[in-house]
Amino acid sequence: MENLIITVATTGAVTTRRDSPYLPITPQEIADSVYEAWQAGAAVAHIHVRDQDGNPSMDYAAFAETVKLIRERCDIVLNLTSSGGLNLREEDRLRVCELEPELVSFDAGSMNFGGSVFLNPPDFLERLAQKAQECNVKPEIEVFEAGMIANALQVAKKGWTKPPFYFQFVLGVPGGMPATPKNLLFLSESIPAGSPWSAIGIGKHQLEMNMMAIAMGGHVRVGMEDNVYYRKGELARTNAQFVERIVRLASEFGRQIATPDEARELLGLRKNKQGGCMA
Ligand code: ZN
């Protein structure tokens, strides 16, 4: 099997300090948390930012500051969100590509999301894919339900993103597909052969989906964006704790952990610091 790519999602848009007092929120806290996770074995960091009050935000300056603080300290692959909340301005969602991360999240369709609606209409997806291509950033295709695979391939057909397509299966969001082994198997068999994929389980499903993905040859995402509990009733104190656990479990399976450069190779990313965005 390929070496295992561990993505750490330190913060997200939904988790709050009420959920966990350990949630990193400021650019410095997020960068510190990413650095610890990188030391523990994470190859990719999926980044969201918050405003002064800790609310979800697409503030460009906060992204820029966070990216700078991370790049000063380590070579982790950067994956910036294009969906730092609901009801965002489209231009703010697209603009993160100008920071030249290697990956940008590409939520491949609209859906109910808890009590709200998460909007990713076809014309927005085309513009996001186009913007990512202009900036030499690869879309990480986030799939919350099976139809989103077809949506993403429809956009790919227009030439705005090239193989290998990288899929992130997000299971267990209320409104999306439940986190079950059957659903993960179905999704993994529904993408073009040879495409790298990774799995996220929300909340108590995080570890189950991680374990399945490790055994099936997929990759994994962990972190407080998806789950704040290390085990039932016990909050994780750091994002690195989740990464350390995956490293231990993967080694029992005999799967090596991918370095950031190996992740770049496996996902078909440009080499670090070779951005092409002139915007
Ligand atoms: Zn996210």
Side-chain angles (χ1 to χ4, degrees):
M1 282 187 196
E2 288 171 346
N3 286 2
L4 178 70
I5 300 169
I6 304 173
T7 295
V8 66
T10 60
T11 305
V14 177
T15 314
T16 68
R17 279 266 167 88
R18 280 188 300 282
D19 300 315
S20 171
Y22 308 113
L23 182 75
I25 282 181
T26 66
Q28 187 66 56
E29 288 168 355
I30 293 168
D32 288 347
S33 191
V34 165
Y35 181 68
E36 286 170 19
W38 170 80
Q39 285 181 309
V44 181
H46 172 72
I47 304 293
H48 286 245
V49 296
R50 301 294 179 96
D51 67 15
Q52 308 280 17
D53 301 318
N55 299 312
S57 166
M58 288 301 289
D59 181 52
Y60 188 78
F63 274 108
E65 174 71 4
T66 309
V67 165
K68 178 176 148 285
L69 290 170
I70 295 170
R71 283 193 173 141
E72 278 169 4
R73 292 171 79 185
C74 64
D75 70 341
I76 199 162
V77 174
L78 286 175
N79 171 350
L80 301 187
T81 186
S82 62
S83 301
L86 300 169
N87 307 314
L88 299 163
R89 291 191 316 170
E90 187 176 302
E91 65 216 70
D92 294 331
R93 298 183 67 181
L94 299 177
R95 199 174 166 211
V96 288
C97 293
E98 295 173 18
L99 288 165
E100 300 176 358
E102 289 140 297
L103 289 162
V104 65
S105 66
F106 181 94
D107 298 297
S110 304
M111 61 185 284
N112 288 352
F113 197 110
S116 308
V117 178
F118 184 23
L119 282 177
N120 296 290
D123 60 334
F124 169 71
L125 293 181
E126 292 195 7
R127 280 194 286 277
L128 177 57
Q130 231 172 338
K131 179 78 177 181
Q133 191 181 57
E134 278 165 28
C135 294
N136 200 9
V137 178
K138 190 169 192 111
E140 176 212 43
I141 302 166
E142 293 195 349
V143 170
F144 295 72
E145 58 88 6
M148 292 188 185
I149 295 173
N151 291 346
L153 295 177
Q154 188 64 31
V155 171
K157 235 192 237 174
K158 303 199 173 178
W160 289 321
T161 177
K162 303 226 162 29
F165 305 121
Y166 174 39
F167 291 89
Q168 185 71 262
F169 302 132
V170 190
L171 296 176
V173 170
M177 281 172 95
T180 66
K182 206 173 190 173
N183 284 342
L184 183 59
L185 182 65
F186 174 67
L187 292 174
S188 70
E189 290 177 342
S190 302
I191 57 178
S195 306
W197 62 269
S198 174
I200 298 170
I202 300 298
K204 65 182 179 184
H205 301 292
Q206 181 171 70
L207 189 55
E208 293 160 21
M209 291 297 110
N210 291 165
M211 298 298 292
M212 289 272 309
I214 293 170
M216 290 165 68
H219 304 283
V220 303
R221 185 172 105 176
V222 295
M224 294 185 192
E225 171 164 353
D226 306 325
N227 170 40
V228 292
Y229 287 99
Y230 188 74
R231 58 171 70 86
K232 194 168 189 231
E234 181 188 328
L235 288 171
R237 289 178 168 259
T238 66
N239 279 290
Q241 259 183 291
F242 292 119
V243 178
E244 287 160 3
R245 174 162 64 185
I246 295 296
V247 170
R248 278 198 308 276
L249 293 168
S251 96
E252 291 293 324
F253 272 95
R255 262 191 95 175
Q256 305 288 316
I257 305 302
T259 63
D261 276 343
E262 286 167 349
R264 290 181 176 98
E265 195 69 39
L266 289 167
L267 302 179
L269 305 178
R270 67 162 199 270
K271 294 286 176 270
N272 203 12
K273 301 198 190 304
Q274 287 178 6
C277 186
M278 304 307 289

PDB file of all heavy atoms in Angstrom, residues 86-118:
ATOM      1  N   LEU A  86     -21.110  29.361   6.343  1.00  0.00           N
ATOM      2  CA  LEU A  86     -22.236  29.326   5.400  1.00  0.00           C
ATOM      3  C   LEU A  86     -22.535  30.765   4.971  1.00  0.00           C
ATOM      4  O   LEU A  86     -22.137  31.712   5.639  1.00  0.00           O
ATOM      5  CB  LEU A  86     -23.463  28.699   6.061  1.00  0.00           C
ATOM      6  CG  LEU A  86     -23.261  27.248   6.547  1.00  0.00           C
ATOM      7  CD1 LEU A  86     -24.433  26.807   7.420  1.00  0.00           C
ATOM      8  CD2 LEU A  86     -23.094  26.294   5.363  1.00  0.00           C
ATOM      9  N   ASN A  87     -23.203  30.918   3.836  1.00  0.00           N
ATOM     10  CA  ASN A  87     -23.617  32.239   3.333  1.00  0.00           C
ATOM     11  C   ASN A  87     -22.446  33.206   3.166  1.00  0.00           C
ATOM     12  O   ASN A  87     -22.501  34.364   3.580  1.00  0.00           O
ATOM     13  CB  ASN A  87     -24.664  32.873   4.262  1.00  0.00           C
ATOM     14  CG  ASN A  87     -25.824  31.928   4.506  1.00  0.00           C
ATOM     15  OD1 ASN A  87     -26.334  31.336   3.557  1.00  0.00           O
ATOM     16  ND2 ASN A  87     -26.209  31.755   5.753  1.00  0.00           N
ATOM     17  N   LEU A  88     -21.368  32.720   2.575  1.00  0.00           N
ATOM     18  CA  LEU A  88     -20.179  33.549   2.387  1.00  0.00           C
ATOM     19  C   LEU A  88     -20.223  34.238   1.030  1.00  0.00           C
ATOM     20  O   LEU A  88     -20.922  33.795   0.117  1.00  0.00           O
ATOM     21  CB  LEU A  88     -18.931  32.664   2.437  1.00  0.00           C
ATOM     22  CG  LEU A  88     -18.713  31.912   3.738  1.00  0.00           C
ATOM     23  CD1 LEU A  88     -17.714  30.789   3.527  1.00  0.00           C
ATOM     24  CD2 LEU A  88     -18.240  32.864   4.821  1.00  0.00           C
ATOM     25  N   ARG A  89     -19.419  35.318   0.903  1.00  0.00           N
ATOM     26  CA  ARG A  89     -19.311  35.952  -0.412  1.00  0.00           C
ATOM     27  C   ARG A  89     -18.410  35.088  -1.296  1.00  0.00           C
ATOM     28  O   ARG A  89     -17.339  34.634  -0.864  1.00  0.00           O
ATOM     29  CB  ARG A  89     -18.697  37.344  -0.282  1.00  0.00           C
ATOM     30  CG  ARG A  89     -19.624  38.338   0.408  1.00  0.00           C
ATOM     31  CD  ARG A  89     -19.106  39.723   0.277  1.00  0.00           C
ATOM     32  NE  ARG A  89     -17.665  39.771   0.521  1.00  0.00           N
ATOM     33  CZ  ARG A  89     -16.905  40.832   0.288  1.00  0.00           C
ATOM     34  NH1 ARG A  89     -17.436  41.929  -0.203  1.00  0.00           N
ATOM     35  NH2 ARG A  89     -15.616  40.810   0.550  1.00  0.00           N
ATOM     36  N   GLU A  90     -18.864  34.915  -2.540  1.00  0.00           N
ATOM     37  CA  GLU A  90     -18.126  34.038  -3.449  1.00  0.00           C
ATOM     38  C   GLU A  90     -16.679  34.507  -3.642  1.00  0.00           C
ATOM     39  O   GLU A  90     -15.745  33.706  -3.656  1.00  0.00           O
ATOM     40  CB  GLU A  90     -18.856  33.995  -4.789  1.00  0.00           C
ATOM     41  CG  GLU A  90     -18.281  32.992  -5.730  1.00  0.00           C
ATOM     42  CD  GLU A  90     -19.088  32.916  -7.013  1.00  0.00           C
ATOM     43  OE1 GLU A  90     -20.299  32.644  -6.939  1.00  0.00           O
ATOM     44  OE2 GLU A  90     -18.494  33.148  -8.077  1.00  0.00           O
ATOM     45  N   GLU A  91     -16.506  35.832  -3.769  1.00  0.00           N
ATOM     46  CA  GLU A  91     -15.131  36.306  -4.021  1.00  0.00           C
ATOM     47  C   GLU A  91     -14.180  35.953  -2.873  1.00  0.00           C
ATOM     48  O   GLU A  91     -13.003  35.681  -3.089  1.00  0.00           O
ATOM     49  CB  GLU A  91     -15.139  37.819  -4.292  1.00  0.00           C
ATOM     50  CG  GLU A  91     -15.559  38.644  -3.121  1.00  0.00           C
ATOM     51  CD  GLU A  91     -16.369  39.875  -3.545  1.00  0.00           C
ATOM     52  OE1 GLU A  91     -17.520  39.720  -3.998  1.00  0.00           O
ATOM     53  OE2 GLU A  91     -15.838  40.975  -3.405  1.00  0.00           O
ATOM     54  N   ASP A  92     -14.718  35.947  -1.642  1.00  0.00           N
ATOM     55  CA  ASP A  92     -13.870  35.580  -0.501  1.00  0.00           C
ATOM     56  C   ASP A  92     -13.511  34.096  -0.534  1.00  0.00           C
ATOM     57  O   ASP A  92     -12.431  33.699  -0.109  1.00  0.00           O
ATOM     58  CB  ASP A  92     -14.572  35.916   0.821  1.00  0.00           C
ATOM     59  CG  ASP A  92     -14.759  37.414   0.992  1.00  0.00           C
ATOM     60  OD1 ASP A  92     -13.935  38.182   0.450  1.00  0.00           O
ATOM     61  OD2 ASP A  92     -15.736  37.822   1.653  1.00  0.00           O
ATOM     62  N   ARG A  93     -14.449  33.300  -1.020  1.00  0.00           N
ATOM     63  CA  ARG A  93     -14.193  31.856  -1.088  1.00  0.00           C
ATOM     64  C   ARG A  93     -13.116  31.546  -2.133  1.00  0.00           C
ATOM     65  O   ARG A  93     -12.320  30.627  -1.965  1.00  0.00           O
ATOM     66  CB  ARG A  93     -15.485  31.105  -1.429  1.00  0.00           C
ATOM     67  CG  ARG A  93     -16.580  31.266  -0.395  1.00  0.00           C
ATOM     68  CD  ARG A  93     -17.812  30.445  -0.723  1.00  0.00           C
ATOM     69  NE  ARG A  93     -17.549  29.011  -0.631  1.00  0.00           N
ATOM     70  CZ  ARG A  93     -18.456  28.072  -0.880  1.00  0.00           C
ATOM     71  NH1 ARG A  93     -19.681  28.404  -1.241  1.00  0.00           N
ATOM     72  NH2 ARG A  93     -18.148  26.795  -0.772  1.00  0.00           N
ATOM     73  N   LEU A  94     -13.129  32.313  -3.229  1.00  0.00           N
ATOM     74  CA  LEU A  94     -12.162  32.060  -4.310  1.00  0.00           C
ATOM     75  C   LEU A  94     -10.771  32.608  -3.974  1.00  0.00           C
ATOM     76  O   LEU A  94      -9.753  32.049  -4.375  1.00  0.00           O
ATOM     77  CB  LEU A  94     -12.639  32.723  -5.605  1.00  0.00           C
ATOM     78  CG  LEU A  94     -13.987  32.239  -6.167  1.00  0.00           C
ATOM     79  CD1 LEU A  94     -14.357  33.039  -7.408  1.00  0.00           C
ATOM     80  CD2 LEU A  94     -13.935  30.756  -6.506  1.00  0.00           C
ATOM     81  N   ARG A  95     -10.759  33.692  -3.223  1.00  0.00           N
ATOM     82  CA  ARG A  95      -9.513  34.449  -3.079  1.00  0.00           C
ATOM     83  C   ARG A  95      -8.414  33.694  -2.334  1.00  0.00           C
ATOM     84  O   ARG A  95      -7.224  33.972  -2.527  1.00  0.00           O
ATOM     85  CB  ARG A  95      -9.818  35.785  -2.363  1.00  0.00           C
ATOM     86  CG  ARG A  95      -8.719  36.786  -2.585  1.00  0.00           C
ATOM     87  CD  ARG A  95      -9.019  38.148  -2.028  1.00  0.00           C
ATOM     88  NE  ARG A  95      -7.764  38.908  -2.020  1.00  0.00           N
ATOM     89  CZ  ARG A  95      -7.480  39.838  -1.139  1.00  0.00           C
ATOM     90  NH1 ARG A  95      -8.353  40.161  -0.207  1.00  0.00           N
ATOM     91  NH2 ARG A  95      -6.319  40.463  -1.192  1.00  0.00           N
ATOM     92  N   VAL A  96      -8.781  32.723  -1.487  1.00  0.00           N
ATOM     93  CA  VAL A  96      -7.728  31.988  -0.753  1.00  0.00           C
ATOM     94  C   VAL A  96      -6.733  31.318  -1.699  1.00  0.00           C
ATOM     95  O   VAL A  96      -5.586  31.087  -1.335  1.00  0.00           O
ATOM     96  CB  VAL A  96      -8.301  30.920   0.209  1.00  0.00           C
ATOM     97  CG1 VAL A  96      -8.967  31.564   1.409  1.00  0.00           C
ATOM     98  CG2 VAL A  96      -9.234  29.956  -0.499  1.00  0.00           C
ATOM     99  N   CYS A  97      -7.175  31.035  -2.931  1.00  0.00           N
ATOM    100  CA  CYS A  97      -6.257  30.410  -3.909  1.00  0.00           C
ATOM    101  C   CYS A  97      -5.044  31.302  -4.169  1.00  0.00           C
ATOM    102  O   CYS A  97      -3.971  30.811  -4.528  1.00  0.00           O
ATOM    103  CB  CYS A  97      -6.968  30.149  -5.234  1.00  0.00           C
ATOM    104  SG  CYS A  97      -8.268  28.905  -5.125  1.00  0.00           S
ATOM    105  N   GLU A  98      -5.221  32.623  -3.994  1.00  0.00           N
ATOM    106  CA  GLU A  98      -4.122  33.555  -4.290  1.00  0.00           C
ATOM    107  C   GLU A  98      -2.978  33.433  -3.284  1.00  0.00           C
ATOM    108  O   GLU A  98      -1.889  33.934  -3.521  1.00  0.00           O
ATOM    109  CB  GLU A  98      -4.659  34.997  -4.348  1.00  0.00           C
ATOM    110  CG  GLU A  98      -5.619  35.171  -5.512  1.00  0.00           C
ATOM    111  CD  GLU A  98      -6.321  36.519  -5.520  1.00  0.00           C
ATOM    112  OE1 GLU A  98      -5.845  37.458  -4.850  1.00  0.00           O
ATOM    113  OE2 GLU A  98      -7.360  36.615  -6.214  1.00  0.00           O
ATOM    114  N   LEU A  99      -3.235  32.769  -2.163  1.00  0.00           N
ATOM    115  CA  LEU A  99      -2.146  32.532  -1.203  1.00  0.00           C
ATOM    116  C   LEU A  99      -1.295  31.335  -1.614  1.00  0.00           C
ATOM    117  O   LEU A  99      -0.344  30.972  -0.928  1.00  0.00           O
ATOM    118  CB  LEU A  99      -2.718  32.326   0.203  1.00  0.00           C
ATOM    119  CG  LEU A  99      -3.261  33.602   0.843  1.00  0.00           C
ATOM    120  CD1 LEU A  99      -4.132  33.287   2.049  1.00  0.00           C
ATOM    121  CD2 LEU A  99      -2.114  34.517   1.237  1.00  0.00           C
ATOM    122  N   GLU A 100      -1.653  30.730  -2.747  1.00  0.00           N
ATOM    123  CA  GLU A 100      -0.873  29.631  -3.310  1.00  0.00           C
ATOM    124  C   GLU A 100      -0.653  28.469  -2.352  1.00  0.00           C
ATOM    125  O   GLU A 100       0.479  28.008  -2.167  1.00  0.00           O
ATOM    126  CB  GLU A 100       0.451  30.150  -3.865  1.00  0.00           C
ATOM    127  CG  GLU A 100       0.227  31.167  -4.962  1.00  0.00           C
ATOM    128  CD  GLU A 100       1.509  31.792  -5.476  1.00  0.00           C
ATOM    129  OE1 GLU A 100       2.585  31.463  -4.944  1.00  0.00           O
ATOM    130  OE2 GLU A 100       1.420  32.571  -6.426  1.00  0.00           O
ATOM    131  N   PRO A 101      -1.742  28.012  -1.742  1.00  0.00           N
ATOM    132  CA  PRO A 101      -1.606  26.742  -1.026  1.00  0.00           C
ATOM    133  C   PRO A 101      -1.441  25.665  -2.094  1.00  0.00           C
ATOM    134  O   PRO A 101      -1.640  25.935  -3.277  1.00  0.00           O
ATOM    135  CB  PRO A 101      -2.952  26.595  -0.320  1.00  0.00           C
ATOM    136  CG  PRO A 101      -3.917  27.303  -1.229  1.00  0.00           C
ATOM    137  CD  PRO A 101      -3.145  28.452  -1.833  1.00  0.00           C
ATOM    138  N   GLU A 102      -1.101  24.466  -1.711  1.00  0.00           N
ATOM    139  CA  GLU A 102      -1.008  23.398  -2.721  1.00  0.00           C
ATOM    140  C   GLU A 102      -2.369  22.759  -2.983  1.00  0.00           C
ATOM    141  O   GLU A 102      -2.609  22.215  -4.043  1.00  0.00           O
ATOM    142  CB  GLU A 102       0.003  22.360  -2.251  1.00  0.00           C
ATOM    143  CG  GLU A 102       1.414  22.936  -2.327  1.00  0.00           C
ATOM    144  CD  GLU A 102       2.271  22.537  -1.164  1.00  0.00           C
ATOM    145  OE1 GLU A 102       1.930  22.918  -0.023  1.00  0.00           O
ATOM    146  OE2 GLU A 102       3.268  21.834  -1.382  1.00  0.00           O
ATOM    147  N   LEU A 103      -3.264  22.854  -1.993  1.00  0.00           N
ATOM    148  CA  LEU A 103      -4.613  22.300  -2.125  1.00  0.00           C
ATOM    149  C   LEU A 103      -5.634  23.340  -1.665  1.00  0.00           C
ATOM    150  O   LEU A 103      -5.351  24.131  -0.758  1.00  0.00           O
ATOM    151  CB  LEU A 103      -4.779  21.060  -1.240  1.00  0.00           C
ATOM    152  CG  LEU A 103      -4.039  19.780  -1.642  1.00  0.00           C
ATOM    153  CD1 LEU A 103      -3.946  18.822  -0.446  1.00  0.00           C
ATOM    154  CD2 LEU A 103      -4.745  19.092  -2.814  1.00  0.00           C
ATOM    155  N   VAL A 104      -6.815  23.305  -2.292  1.00  0.00           N
ATOM    156  CA  VAL A 104      -7.935  24.100  -1.802  1.00  0.00           C
ATOM    157  C   VAL A 104      -9.141  23.161  -1.727  1.00  0.00           C
ATOM    158  O   VAL A 104      -9.322  22.314  -2.604  1.00  0.00           O
ATOM    159  CB  VAL A 104      -8.218  25.318  -2.720  1.00  0.00           C
ATOM    160  CG1 VAL A 104      -8.680  24.885  -4.117  1.00  0.00           C
ATOM    161  CG2 VAL A 104      -9.252  26.250  -2.101  1.00  0.00           C
ATOM    162  N   SER A 105      -9.929  23.286  -0.654  1.00  0.00           N
ATOM    163  CA  SER A 105     -11.079  22.372  -0.559  1.00  0.00           C
ATOM    164  C   SER A 105     -12.122  22.751  -1.610  1.00  0.00           C
ATOM    165  O   SER A 105     -12.347  23.928  -1.902  1.00  0.00           O
ATOM    166  CB  SER A 105     -11.679  22.396   0.849  1.00  0.00           C
ATOM    167  OG  SER A 105     -12.231  23.660   1.125  1.00  0.00           O
ATOM    168  N   PHE A 106     -12.712  21.723  -2.186  1.00  0.00           N
ATOM    169  CA  PHE A 106     -13.675  21.873  -3.286  1.00  0.00           C
ATOM    170  C   PHE A 106     -14.886  21.025  -2.901  1.00  0.00           C
ATOM    171  O   PHE A 106     -14.870  19.811  -3.060  1.00  0.00           O
ATOM    172  CB  PHE A 106     -13.003  21.363  -4.570  1.00  0.00           C
ATOM    173  CG  PHE A 106     -13.830  21.461  -5.814  1.00  0.00           C
ATOM    174  CD1 PHE A 106     -13.726  22.559  -6.661  1.00  0.00           C
ATOM    175  CD2 PHE A 106     -14.709  20.438  -6.168  1.00  0.00           C
ATOM    176  CE1 PHE A 106     -14.487  22.637  -7.829  1.00  0.00           C
ATOM    177  CE2 PHE A 106     -15.461  20.508  -7.334  1.00  0.00           C
ATOM    178  CZ  PHE A 106     -15.347  21.608  -8.160  1.00  0.00           C
ATOM    179  N   ASP A 107     -15.874  21.682  -2.294  1.00  0.00           N
ATOM    180  CA  ASP A 107     -17.047  20.952  -1.794  1.00  0.00           C
ATOM    181  C   ASP A 107     -18.002  20.760  -2.955  1.00  0.00           C
ATOM    182  O   ASP A 107     -18.662  21.701  -3.391  1.00  0.00           O
ATOM    183  CB  ASP A 107     -17.669  21.734  -0.638  1.00  0.00           C
ATOM    184  CG  ASP A 107     -16.678  21.843   0.512  1.00  0.00           C
ATOM    185  OD1 ASP A 107     -16.314  20.790   1.061  1.00  0.00           O
ATOM    186  OD2 ASP A 107     -16.240  22.959   0.822  1.00  0.00           O
ATOM    187  N   ALA A 108     -18.079  19.518  -3.427  1.00  0.00           N
ATOM    188  CA  ALA A 108     -18.585  19.262  -4.778  1.00  0.00           C
ATOM    189  C   ALA A 108     -20.108  19.182  -4.895  1.00  0.00           C
ATOM    190  O   ALA A 108     -20.642  18.375  -5.637  1.00  0.00           O
ATOM    191  CB  ALA A 108     -17.932  17.989  -5.319  1.00  0.00           C
ATOM    192  N   GLY A 109     -20.814  20.058  -4.193  1.00  0.00           N
ATOM    193  CA  GLY A 109     -22.264  20.103  -4.354  1.00  0.00           C
ATOM    194  C   GLY A 109     -22.937  20.754  -3.162  1.00  0.00           C
ATOM    195  O   GLY A 109     -22.307  21.013  -2.136  1.00  0.00           O
ATOM    196  N   SER A 110     -24.232  21.020  -3.308  1.00  0.00           N
ATOM    197  CA  SER A 110     -25.016  21.653  -2.240  1.00  0.00           C
ATOM    198  C   SER A 110     -25.745  20.584  -1.442  1.00  0.00           C
ATOM    199  O   SER A 110     -26.032  19.508  -1.946  1.00  0.00           O
ATOM    200  CB  SER A 110     -26.027  22.631  -2.844  1.00  0.00           C
ATOM    201  OG  SER A 110     -25.352  23.571  -3.648  1.00  0.00           O
ATOM    202  N   MET A 111     -26.040  20.915  -0.197  1.00  0.00           N
ATOM    203  CA  MET A 111     -26.683  19.912   0.673  1.00  0.00           C
ATOM    204  C   MET A 111     -27.246  20.591   1.916  1.00  0.00           C
ATOM    205  O   MET A 111     -26.851  21.706   2.253  1.00  0.00           O
ATOM    206  CB  MET A 111     -25.634  18.887   1.126  1.00  0.00           C
ATOM    207  CG  MET A 111     -24.516  19.537   1.917  1.00  0.00           C
ATOM    208  SD  MET A 111     -23.158  18.437   2.380  1.00  0.00           S
ATOM    209  CE  MET A 111     -23.909  17.518   3.717  1.00  0.00           C
ATOM    210  N   ASN A 112     -28.140  19.908   2.616  1.00  0.00           N
ATOM    211  CA  ASN A 112     -28.484  20.350   3.968  1.00  0.00           C
ATOM    212  C   ASN A 112     -27.278  20.073   4.851  1.00  0.00           C
ATOM    213  O   ASN A 112     -26.570  19.079   4.657  1.00  0.00           O
ATOM    214  CB  ASN A 112     -29.685  19.577   4.494  1.00  0.00           C
ATOM    215  CG  ASN A 112     -30.960  19.997   3.790  1.00  0.00           C
ATOM    216  OD1 ASN A 112     -30.962  20.964   3.025  1.00  0.00           O
ATOM    217  ND2 ASN A 112     -32.030  19.278   4.041  1.00  0.00           N
ATOM    218  N   PHE A 113     -27.051  20.966   5.803  1.00  0.00           N
ATOM    219  CA  PHE A 113     -25.881  20.802   6.686  1.00  0.00           C
ATOM    220  C   PHE A 113     -26.369  21.156   8.083  1.00  0.00           C
ATOM    221  O   PHE A 113     -26.527  22.327   8.418  1.00  0.00           O
ATOM    222  CB  PHE A 113     -24.771  21.747   6.217  1.00  0.00           C
ATOM    223  CG  PHE A 113     -23.407  21.421   6.754  1.00  0.00           C
ATOM    224  CD1 PHE A 113     -22.411  20.926   5.915  1.00  0.00           C
ATOM    225  CD2 PHE A 113     -23.107  21.612   8.098  1.00  0.00           C
ATOM    226  CE1 PHE A 113     -21.139  20.633   6.410  1.00  0.00           C
ATOM    227  CE2 PHE A 113     -21.848  21.321   8.597  1.00  0.00           C
ATOM    228  CZ  PHE A 113     -20.866  20.832   7.745  1.00  0.00           C
ATOM    229  N   GLY A 114     -26.658  20.167   8.892  1.00  0.00           N
ATOM    230  CA  GLY A 114     -27.285  20.437  10.183  1.00  0.00           C
ATOM    231  C   GLY A 114     -28.604  21.148   9.926  1.00  0.00           C
ATOM    232  O   GLY A 114     -29.412  20.701   9.128  1.00  0.00           O
ATOM    233  N   GLY A 115     -28.788  22.303  10.534  1.00  0.00           N
ATOM    234  CA  GLY A 115     -30.035  23.051  10.360  1.00  0.00           C
ATOM    235  C   GLY A 115     -29.973  24.059   9.231  1.00  0.00           C
ATOM    236  O   GLY A 115     -30.874  24.882   9.083  1.00  0.00           O
ATOM    237  N   SER A 116     -28.913  24.039   8.432  1.00  0.00           N
ATOM    238  CA  SER A 116     -28.738  25.047   7.382  1.00  0.00           C
ATOM    239  C   SER A 116     -28.556  24.391   6.018  1.00  0.00           C
ATOM    240  O   SER A 116     -28.629  23.170   5.896  1.00  0.00           O
ATOM    241  CB  SER A 116     -27.504  25.898   7.665  1.00  0.00           C
ATOM    242  OG  SER A 116     -27.550  26.407   8.963  1.00  0.00           O
ATOM    243  N   VAL A 117     -28.315  25.245   5.022  1.00  0.00           N
ATOM    244  CA  VAL A 117     -28.046  24.737   3.678  1.00  0.00           C
ATOM    245  C   VAL A 117     -26.646  25.176   3.269  1.00  0.00           C
ATOM    246  O   VAL A 117     -26.280  26.342   3.444  1.00  0.00           O
ATOM    247  CB  VAL A 117     -29.086  25.277   2.667  1.00  0.00           C
ATOM    248  CG1 VAL A 117     -28.767  24.777   1.269  1.00  0.00           C
ATOM    249  CG2 VAL A 117     -30.490  24.850   3.075  1.00  0.00           C
ATOM    250  N   PHE A 118     -25.877  24.236   2.764  1.00  0.00           N
ATOM    251  CA  PHE A 118     -24.495  24.491   2.340  1.00  0.00           C
ATOM    252  C   PHE A 118     -24.535  24.599   0.815  1.00  0.00           C
ATOM    253  O   PHE A 118     -24.782  23.613   0.130  1.00  0.00           O
ATOM    254  CB  PHE A 118     -23.656  23.304   2.808  1.00  0.00           C
ATOM    255  CG  PHE A 118     -22.170  23.406   2.547  1.00  0.00           C
ATOM    256  CD1 PHE A 118     -21.536  24.623   2.373  1.00  0.00           C
ATOM    257  CD2 PHE A 118     -21.402  22.250   2.512  1.00  0.00           C
ATOM    258  CE1 PHE A 118     -20.167  24.692   2.159  1.00  0.00           C
ATOM    259  CE2 PHE A 118     -20.037  22.302   2.303  1.00  0.00           C
ATOM    260  CZ  PHE A 118     -19.415  23.524   2.119  1.00  0.00           C
TER     261      PHE A 118
END
